[in-house]
Amino acid sequence: MYGNIHTDLAMEARESNSALNGVSEERTDNEHYSVSRIKIDTDEAASALQKSKGLYITIEAPDLVLRESELIKAVTEALSAELTGLIDKGGTSGTVLVVGLGNRAVTPDALGPKTAEKILVTRHIKQYMPDAIPNGVRSVCAISPGVLGVTGIETMEVIQGIVERSKPSLIIAIDSLSSRRTERIASTIQLCDAGIQPGAGVGNIRSGLDEASLGIPVIAVGVPLVVYASTISRDTIGLIASELGLLGNEEKIKELAAKAISEKTGELIVTPKEIDSLIECTSTILADGINMCLFGKDYAEVRSLIA
């Protein structure tokens, strides 16, 4: 009970199950970032990793938190390229619905809404002023449906209603994630073609948004912005046990540390003190990467028209 590790990253789940069959993976290292691809092929592997079957792409840039312009540009272009590859598999025509999941009033959970508001939307222009925009520009719309505790409506219900009326051919869903390592906060981007469960990053799982439930492909994009205090305690205790030569009792000590946190303070979720600026920077990277992907060679023209 107290030994569970909370993570939304497939690569971290894989790290804890490195010998598991039914999973293929590859990694490409660039100068300032790396890209890993993990494909979960079997139901058994999906169950063991607690992830849906599908392709999980992770872009890691440890120095991204320093917010240097050249690295931001490189990561944005990498995101656009990887997202283009996922979209091309599902076709390049039809409306794309970008969904910003999360609660904009809670900073670590505001990544989705903050990103959605920076998406260049064209569906209304193509519908009402088609001559004002190049013919090949894709129809894009965006929504931030809020959270159940604020709206009283399940996210799935909102999205299903929008899908029924606007009939998009693809959904890109953005949400905050949790990691088991603090160094991956705001420096890692995960994409997957298996959809997403809103609220998973903070342990408040709602109905899943995926092709099975919505009838159209769902690409999920997320960034870890929180880590569980119990995870930090386990890693700290593990380091202490290693240094003191107590590895034989390491797991028992870790469980006791997690139990102490859970019983004394409840399950704490930790985020950096500079989370406001991290959210602003990260949401801009995601929005720019998505916009570049969706509009391709017309990106600059669409941006100048709408901005």
Side-chain angles (χ1 to χ4, degrees):
M1 174 181 178
Y2 298 105
N4 293 334
I5 291 294
H6 299 275
T7 179
D8 292 317
L9 298 179
M11 66 180 303
E12 291 185 341
R14 176 59 170 167
E15 288 170 356
S16 301
N17 295 270
S18 57
L20 184 67
N21 294 322
V23 181
S24 59
E25 56 187 311
E26 63 180 52
R27 179 186 175 95
T28 303
D29 292 314
N30 295 284
E31 184 177 359
H32 299 296
Y33 66 89
S34 64
V35 179
S36 66
R37 296 174 178 84
I38 294 177
K39 182 71 178 299
I40 302 176
D41 295 310
T42 66
D43 292 331
E44 293 77 9
S47 177
L49 297 177
Q50 297 184 342
K51 308 294 175 191
S52 300
K53 289 194 296 184
L55 175 63
Y56 294 79
I57 302 171
T58 308
I59 302 172
E60 284 190 281
D63 293 332
L64 192 59
V65 293
L66 301 178
R67 300 191 283 280
E68 295 178 353
S69 58
E70 289 188 8
L71 181 55
I72 288 175
K73 181 176 182 292
V75 171
T76 301
E77 291 174 347
L79 169 62
S80 176
E82 296 298 336
L83 189 57
T84 298
L86 289 178
I87 289 178
D88 286 348
K89 294 178 181 178
T92 57
S93 62
T95 297
V96 174
L97 171 62
V98 179
V99 179
L101 300 169
N103 186 348
R104 66 173 62 248
V106 179
T107 306
D109 199 31
L111 178 65
K114 286 282 189 179
T115 303
E117 67 187 23
K118 298 173 183 176
I119 296 297
L120 302 177
V121 293
T122 56
R123 182 173 178 267
H124 60 307
I125 300 177
K126 291 182 71 70
Q127 185 173 357
Y128 298 112
M129 297 184 296
D131 295 336
I133 201 165
N135 289 330
V137 170
R138 191 158 192 170
S139 172
V140 177
C141 52
I143 184 69
S144 299
V147 294
L148 178 64
V150 175
T151 65
I153 306 172
E154 284 280 7
T155 301
M156 172 59 77
E157 295 175 352
V158 177
I159 303 305
Q160 282 178 329
I162 294 173
V163 169
E164 290 174 4
R165 295 301 299 267
S166 62
K167 295 181 171 31
S169 61
L170 172 73
I171 289 176
I172 299 176
I174 303 122
D175 200 6
S176 301
L177 305 178
S178 70
S179 172
R180 66 151 300 172
R181 300 189 184 280
T182 55
E183 61 266 26
R184 286 189 171 127
I185 290 180
S187 64
T188 302
I189 302 172
Q190 176 176 272
L191 303 87
C192 80
D193 59 6
I196 195 169
Q197 289 183 313
V202 292
N204 186 22
I205 300 175
R206 316 309 309 173
S207 300
L209 305 178
D210 52 32
E211 187 168 4
S213 60
L214 293 169
I216 57 175
V218 178
I219 296 174
V221 181
V223 175
L225 294 168
V226 299
V227 61
Y228 280 77
S230 58
T231 301
I232 297 176
S233 73
R234 283 173 58 90
D235 289 344
T236 303
I237 291 297
L239 177 61
I240 294 173
S242 176
E243 291 294 324
L244 296 180
L246 300 175
L247 290 178
N249 298 317
E250 181 182 6
E251 287 304 317
K252 182 61 176 179
I253 296 173
K254 286 182 178 181
E255 288 185 13
L256 291 174
K259 180 179 179 181
I261 288 181
S262 178
E263 292 183 350
K264 300 296 183 182
T265 63
E267 186 59 90
L268 297 179
I269 298 175
V270 182
T271 196
K273 64 180 181 180
E274 67 273 19
I275 188 62
D276 296 86
S277 60
L278 290 176
I279 284 282
E280 185 61 33
C281 177
T282 304
S283 63
T284 299
I285 292 172
L286 295 189
D288 285 350
I290 293 170
N291 286 328
M292 290 169 60
C293 164
L294 294 180
F295 298 114
K297 62 182 178 61
D298 296 310
Y299 170 59
E301 186 171 355
V302 173
R303 184 173 183 176
S304 64
L305 173 68
I306 296 176

